[in-house]
Amino acid sequence: MKIMTADSSTRNTFRKNGVGVGINGHGRSIITTANPSGGSSASLLQKQLSFKTPIGTSQFGKSDEIDVIESSNTENLAGRYNKNSIIGWICCAPCIWLRTSAAVHKMAITSATLLVTTLLVASPILFLISTAPSPLPRDCYMEGDGCSPTVSSPPECSEPICETVANNIQAKLNWNKDPCSEFKKFSCWRSSQNRSLTNLLEMGNSQRSVDSQLQFLFQNKVMNESFKILHNLFESCLKQTANSSIMHRIFDSLGGYLPIGTLGPSSIAPLIAKIYELGPSPIVDLYYDLSYGRRPHVLLIISGPSTSSTILENKIRWMSPKAPPNRMRQGVPKLLGDLIDNILPSTLSYAQRISEKDTIFGFIKDLNKLQVEHSRRGFWDSSVLYNTSSLQDMYPVLNWTLLIPRNWSGPIVVRNTDYLKALEGFLTKYPSRVAHNSMLLLCALEILPKDYPNPEVCTRSTMWALPELASALYIAQHTSDDLKDIIKRAEIVFKSLKAHLKRAPSLKGAALVKLSALKIQSQTWEGFSNVTQLLKTLESLNINSDCWFENILEIYKKNKLIPNVINMGSSTHDAWAYPIVSTIFYDTLSHSIVVPLSVILIPYFDARLPPYLHYASVGVSIAKEILRSITKSFDDKAMRCVPHSVNIFSNFSRMDILIHSGGMQISYHSMLSLTGPIKGMARLPGLNLTPTQIFFLVSAQELCAESNYLGIDTNAPEFDNILGWLVAQGGSATEVFKCASGSMINTQKTCNVL
């Protein structure tokens, strides 16, 4: 039987409703197991294919015709179709449910919304976490933008200078002592076996190195003709005695010795004026300097005595380099006893001589104590006056009209007013006769060498008398390229120390402003390179090799102030150091740290050595003066923190010791902040010590060497105590040397000045 085609209305109904109605010869739908309801098999097939056929494609091969299965093949077709429809239902039923379920649709939309919200919130956090710097491994350090590995054992320095330095440090260590309980005995050991070695390798004292170098040059009889005057002055010092004829002539011109029973003068002010006319200034010193500001003017400054000055400075201070502040030493000069014996008349009895000697010793000792006490207070009590009459009314202890030039009309600055007031009271305690005789001896002591003549003493005395020419000789021994390199490295260390101190939380306000404006002056004065000009200024001198006393009076005469030759138009505030004076100092006028060349020419600052040696030596010295420049006083902290054993430092105050401890802490932490770990710095050969341990040991050995040079008893128990206290400050040494809780270093009272 032939298949009939549905009419037009039937076809339209099928397309519209999606359900086809097959009509057989009897007009009924075919009922099979796959279509138990009797629906059209074509309708079922369309539902299945609607999930398989891509959108836009035809669901059937012919859109206008529907094939109706012949009745004769109905049973076979139903069997095959029943099997395929079951498989299709099993595969597609979940998909049909997922597409048609409203609950699933809502769940999908909710999940997508939560996912988008989570990503919007979490993405910035994930970005920050991914870009944050991760902690470096223990065996890694930053080098530029990358991470470079470090070996567990840093390389060993192979330079000859490293071996020399290691031997020098090793020679001063006593490995039988525990650094935690006996730090001084461990770090600054000097025995008969190592004394000769440490004397040859005195790397911890730049001043001793300068003395040794210039002593060799002064003793050279074939010295360059330009510096011949230094050789003559050195030779005259070796011949000087405490009983010379010219010295007695000077005494007579000043009034001579006043014997027992003689009525003394009504005032010693005229005698002091006569002594000042000769040159020495045992009571007060007068000199000229510039005021602060962009348009400075000349000031006449009255300060304490210049008896302990390291060099014989010019009276016009801004026209030449400057010396560091005086550090007066307690006690009486070594030559005083012999001078008294030579000045006392031979007619005195033994008892009279002893009595007179004790009286003069007592006067000079008490005067020295007064001067040392007031010199430590600084210049915070300065006053400014504008005429001599006002000065005379306020401080009548001296006749100022005899000391100050008559044509002076500028400001007068009194640097230490309390000292002048205390001086007036002091002079009333002693008879004027005793004061007169003592002043004669103090005048001679400012002219004679500081100790009994020998090559070392005369080397220091020659440098003191002619510092400009001696400095020129010292600089001539070094090439300009070497000087430029070492000056540059000093400036780098200064910037590192300054940057670290700026990060101190307690540093704020005026101190931070002062620190930001602070600068370093490590360049050398250009005048030292112009030897011809220096010699021209010394043409008036007649230096012979026979009489030191007469030579020094000639130099005093040259340096005598003549007010009408002062260059009133000079406005420079630059501060220059004498390279032969190995002391870093802070200059208030230029607000700069002044670094002498000899300080940075020491072996510890050699470029081939690891940085921890640079910071342990030069770094500590610069850091001390940086701290001094921004600190007015530590009076309260010093009283609480500094032990009483500080009295062993006769030329150091408690303030100085506290600043020294602060300088060590600043330099130590600046060293730790260098790029790369400390463990990566080169080791010293044959020295089984860490860089941080070497830092503290070298710092201590530097202080021991400086103290020995200054005549401080480093074997005294007080010195052991103060050195242990210094090292313990900040608490770093306890960790470095792994000290137990009950050890000396661990139990020291600490005071963090920062």
Side-chain angles (χ1 to χ4, degrees):
M1 132 183 199
K2 202 157 184 183
I3 298 175
M4 300 296 294
T5 308
D7 57 10
S8 299
S9 61
T10 304
R11 287 197 300 268
N12 292 338
T13 303
F14 175 81
R15 289 177 180 175
K16 184 174 180 179
N17 299 328
V19 178
V21 181
I23 302 176
N24 60 13
H26 304 283
R28 294 181 303 175
S29 299
I30 299 176
I31 299 175
T32 66
T33 57
N35 189 13
S37 60
S40 172
S41 61
S43 174
L44 181 61
L45 181 63
Q46 188 209 8
K47 285 186 178 181
Q48 295 174 355
L49 294 177
S50 65
F51 298 102
K52 297 179 182 180
T53 307
I55 297 174
T57 59
S58 178
Q59 297 282 344
F60 303 100
K62 295 180 180 181
S63 60
D64 296 333
E65 294 181 0
I66 299 178
D67 294 335
V68 181
I69 305 175
E70 296 182 10
S71 60
S72 60
N73 296 328
T74 300
E75 294 180 0
N76 294 335
L77 178 62
R80 291 194 306 269
Y81 186 73
N82 184 36
K83 182 178 181 180
N84 293 335
S85 62
I86 292 174
I87 295 174
W89 269 104
I90 293 174
C91 294
C92 297
C95 296
I96 296 173
W97 178 76
L98 289 174
R99 285 196 61 179
T100 59
S101 175
V104 172
H105 180 68
K106 291 180 180 180
M107 290 175 59
I109 293 177
T110 304
S111 300
T113 304
L114 291 175
L115 178 61
V116 171
T117 304
T118 303
L119 290 175
L120 289 175
V121 174
S123 57
I125 300 176
L126 293 174
F127 172 77
L128 293 176
I129 294 175
S130 64
T131 57
S134 58
L136 295 175
R138 292 183 178 272
D139 59 347
C140 185
Y141 71 96
M142 292 301 296
E143 184 176 4
D145 295 332
C147 177
S148 301
T150 58
V151 293
S152 57
S153 179
E156 186 176 273
C157 179
S158 59
E159 297 286 346
I161 184 66
C162 294
E163 184 176 358
T164 302
V165 168
N167 290 336
N168 182 76
I169 297 174
Q170 178 75 35
K172 299 175 184 177
L173 299 180
N174 186 353
W175 293 97
N176 295 322
K177 301 296 182 180
D178 180 13
C180 296
S181 58
E182 297 178 289
F183 186 81
K184 188 267 173 181
K185 292 182 174 63
F186 173 78
S187 60
C188 298
W189 181 52
R190 293 178 68 91
S191 67
S192 57
Q193 288 78 17
N194 73 351
R195 189 176 302 275
S196 59
L197 177 61
T198 52
N199 284 340
L200 291 174
L201 300 174
E202 195 67 70
M203 296 184 179
N205 192 327
S206 55
Q207 188 62 62
R208 189 180 297 276
S209 176
V210 173
D211 295 351
S212 300
Q213 187 174 357
L214 288 182
Q215 178 181 332
F216 174 78
L217 296 172
F218 291 162
Q219 290 177 320
N220 187 2
K221 295 182 180 180
V222 293
M223 180 185 292
N224 187 303
E225 191 64 30
S226 300
F227 302 103
K228 192 69 173 179
I229 186 176
L230 293 172
H231 174 74
N232 292 339
L233 188 61
F234 175 81
E235 291 292 329
S236 68
C237 173
L238 294 174
K239 300 175 183 178
Q240 180 62 45
T241 64
N243 187 19
S244 63
S245 58
I246 187 172
M247 183 173 63
H248 285 284
R249 289 200 302 269
I250 295 298
F251 286 164
D252 293 340
S253 67
L254 296 175
Y257 169 76
L258 299 180
I260 298 176
T262 304
L263 183 64
S266 59
S267 172
I268 65 167
L271 174 62
I272 293 176
K274 290 181 179 179
I275 293 175
Y276 182 77
E277 186 71 16
L278 286 175
S281 51
I283 295 295
V284 293
D285 191 18
L286 280 73
Y287 60 90
Y288 292 81
D289 212 335
L290 297 178
S291 64
Y292 296 95
R294 296 181 179 179
R295 307 176 72 176
H297 50 273
V298 180
L299 304 175
L300 189 152
I301 298 177
I302 301 173
S303 70
S306 61
T307 52
S308 63
S309 178
T310 52
I311 65 168
L312 187 55
E313 290 187 282
N314 292 321
K315 295 298 182 180
I316 307 176
R317 297 294 167 86
W318 75 89
M319 297 177 64
S320 60
K322 295 183 178 181
N326 293 344
R327 293 192 179 276
M328 299 193 65
R329 300 182 62 180
Q330 293 179 344
V332 295
K334 295 181 179 180
L335 298 180
L336 181 59
D338 284 352
L339 276 179
I340 295 177
D341 291 336
N342 291 325
I343 197 176
L344 293 179
S346 58
T347 56
L348 294 179
S349 65
Y350 177 78
Q352 289 176 326
R353 295 180 70 87
I354 295 297
S355 175
E356 192 76 347
K357 194 171 185 178
D358 290 343
T359 303
I360 294 176
F361 259 98
F363 179 93
I364 294 179
K365 185 177 181 179
D366 291 344
L367 178 62
N368 170 263
K369 183 179 179 180
L370 175 70
Q371 293 172 341
V372 169
E373 178 184 352
H374 285 275
S375 67
R376 290 178 176 179
R377 297 182 182 180
F379 300 140
W380 307 115
D381 59 343
S382 299
S383 64
V384 181
L385 304 172
Y386 293 93
N387 55 69
T388 307
S389 59
S390 299
L391 179 65
Q392 190 66 50
D393 293 339
M394 292 187 65
Y395 312 105
V397 62
L398 299 176
N399 189 344
W400 299 105
T401 58
L402 300 177
L403 296 172
I404 297 177
R406 295 181 180 179
N407 59 352
W408 177 255
S409 59
I412 302 172
V413 178
V414 180
R415 278 290 174 85
N416 199 326
T417 59
D418 290 342
Y419 167 68
L420 293 180
K421 295 176 182 178
L423 182 63
E424 183 178 4
F426 169 79
L427 292 176
T428 59
K429 297 180 181 179
Y430 289 88
S432 59
R433 183 191 69 84
V434 175
H436 173 91
N437 293 336
S438 300
M439 289 300 164
L440 294 180
L441 295 172
L442 288 174
C443 172
L445 288 170
E446 283 207 39
I447 299 175
L448 293 171
K450 305 307 178 186
D451 204 341
Y452 294 100
N454 61 49
E456 292 183 2
V457 171
C458 289
T459 297
R460 301 173 197 168
S461 299
T462 302
M463 293 189 297
W464 166 81
L466 293 175
E468 286 88 358
L469 194 60
S471 297
L473 177 62
Y474 177 79
I475 291 179
Q477 312 307 310
H478 303 87
T479 64
S480 59
D481 292 338
D482 291 342
L483 299 184
K484 289 180 181 178
D485 175 69
I486 203 167
I487 289 173
K488 183 178 179 181
R489 283 190 288 109
E491 294 173 351
I492 293 175
V493 171
F494 169 77
K495 291 179 181 178
S496 172
L497 298 170
K498 184 177 173 181
H500 170 76
L501 193 54
K502 279 185 176 181
R503 296 191 292 268
S506 59
L507 193 66
K508 59 186 68 174
L512 186 59
V513 173
K514 291 181 67 176
L515 179 63
S516 299
L518 188 66
K519 56 187 178 182
I520 186 174
Q521 174 57 276
S522 54
Q523 302 287 335
T524 57
W525 184 48
E526 58 183 10
F528 293 141
S529 302
N530 193 347
V531 179
T532 303
Q533 182 62 30
L534 283 177
L535 293 176
K536 187 176 181 180
T537 62
L538 302 176
E539 287 179 349
S540 60
L541 294 180
N542 183 20
I543 304 298
N544 60 76
S545 59
D546 297 323
C547 185
W548 168 269
F549 207 94
E550 186 176 359
N551 289 336
I552 298 303
L553 289 177
E554 283 280 328
I555 296 173
Y556 269 125
K557 184 179 179 180
K558 182 190 76 70
N559 292 342
K560 187 179 181 301
L561 179 63
I562 304 176
N564 58 11
V565 302
I566 294 180
N567 182 6
M568 307 296 283
S570 178
S571 60
T572 178
H573 277 169
D574 291 333
W576 311 96
Y578 287 98
I580 58 174
V581 183
S582 300
T583 303
I584 299 176
F585 64 95
Y586 167 64
D587 179 65
T588 56
L589 189 62
S590 62
H591 190 51
S592 59
I593 306 299
V594 185
V595 181
L597 188 61
S598 56
V599 173
I600 54 180
L601 282 174
I602 61 173
Y604 282 149
F605 203 61
D606 193 285
R608 295 165 293 180
L609 293 174
Y612 52 83
L613 290 171
H614 302 166
Y615 282 83
S617 53
V618 176
V620 172
S621 299
I622 295 179
K624 286 164 48 182
E625 298 309 311
I626 293 177
L627 189 59
R628 194 189 305 276
S629 69
I630 61 175
T631 305
K632 183 175 181 179
S633 66
F634 282 126
D635 292 342
D636 295 338
K637 289 185 177 181
M639 293 301 294
R640 293 196 306 266
C641 299
V642 180
H644 294 290
S645 53
V646 72
N647 295 330
I648 190 67
F649 292 90
S650 58
N651 61 328
F652 286 93
S653 65
R654 292 177 178 268
M655 173 81 169
D656 293 323
I657 293 296
L658 196 63
I659 285 181
H660 190 102
S661 70
M664 288 181 62
Q665 295 177 54
I666 294 171
S667 184
Y668 177 77
H669 291 288
S670 298
M671 176 191 69
L672 294 181
S673 65
L674 295 176
T675 302
I678 292 297
K679 66 180 181 180
M681 294 185 182
R683 295 179 297 110
L684 295 180
L687 202 59
N688 188 22
L689 294 168
T690 65
T692 50
Q693 289 174 336
I694 294 177
F695 174 90
F696 286 107
L697 292 174
V698 170
S699 298
Q701 290 177 355
E702 285 247 286
L703 183 59
C704 291
E706 180 183 0
S707 301
N708 283 323
Y709 181 85
L710 296 174
I712 296 174
D713 185 9
T714 57
N715 294 321
E718 294 83 358
F719 188 87
D720 292 24
N721 187 18
I722 198 66
L723 188 59
W725 178 86
L726 279 173
V727 172
Q729 297 308 296
S732 299
T734 302
E735 301 175 1
V736 167
F737 291 99
K738 297 179 175 58
C739 297
S741 58
S743 61
M744 180 272 296
I745 289 183
N746 207 325
T747 57
Q748 286 287 340
K749 185 177 182 180
T750 61
C751 180
N752 189 351
V753 298
L754 303 181

